[in-house]
């Protein structure tokens, strides 16, 4: 039973990681080429939070209660987009420092 739960959770995680738009975008931002787009991705948090407010308004007006799940999902994705901005700046800074160090070491090893 425990093994079945683990296998199912692994498959669900792989599916969500591969096909959900915010996860695909997060993976692209974590790549070296995409790190520079992190601050721009923070702007995507605004539509997510706006959608959460709109859905909450619909729920208050009598929409079905299952929309609370969508409110949670949009809030989660909004915070995910907010987090990617500062994190990608830190990742980019760290990558550039490593690259500069590698260039310095390569130049030092070429000198006689």
């Amino acid at each position: 039973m425990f093994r079945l739960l683990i296998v199912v959770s692994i498959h669900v995680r792989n599916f969500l990681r591969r096909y959900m738009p915010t996860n695909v975008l997060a993976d692209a931002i974590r790549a070296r080429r995409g790190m520079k787009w992190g601050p721009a991705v923070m702007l995507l948090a605004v539509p997510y939070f706006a959608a959460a407010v709109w859905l909450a308004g619909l729920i208050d007006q009598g929409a079905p209660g299952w929309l609370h799940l969508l409110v949670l999902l949009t809030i989660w994705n909004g915070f995910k987009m907010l987090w990617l901005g500062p994190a990608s700046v830190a990742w980019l800074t760290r990558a550039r420092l490593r690259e500069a160090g590698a260039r310095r070491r390569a130049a030092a090893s070429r000198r006689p």
Side-chain angles (χ1 to χ4, degrees):
M1 180 77 169
F2 188 65
R3 179 185 161 105
L4 177 66
L5 289 174
I6 290 174
V7 169
V8 169
S9 68
I10 289 171
H11 286 294
V12 168
R13 181 197 179 275
N14 288 338
F15 173 79
L16 293 175
R17 191 105 192 132
R18 192 170 295 146
Y19 296 113
M20 294 298 119
T22 56
N23 291 333
V24 172
L25 183 61
D27 288 340
I29 296 296
R30 286 184 188 109
R32 175 60 179 95
R33 289 183 54 203
M35 288 180 190
K36 63 183 174 186
W37 295 105
V41 168
M42 285 179 63
L43 295 175
L44 287 176
V46 173
Y48 278 113
F49 289 131
V53 169
W54 178 69
L55 286 169
L58 285 178
I59 293 168
D60 287 342
Q61 294 173 3
W66 61 267
L67 287 178
H68 286 291
L69 293 173
L70 292 180
V71 170
L72 288 173
L73 181 67
T74 55
I75 290 172
W76 175 262
N77 287 333
F79 279 121
K80 190 187 310 184
M81 294 300 114
L82 278 178
W83 173 81
L84 278 175
S88 69
V89 170
W91 296 329
L92 183 60
T93 303
R94 185 176 62 187
R96 287 190 177 173
L97 288 173
R98 282 185 192 160
E99 292 165 0
R103 281 193 300 271
R104 270 187 267 124
R105 283 189 297 278
S109 67
R110 279 186 258 151
R111 292 183 194 154

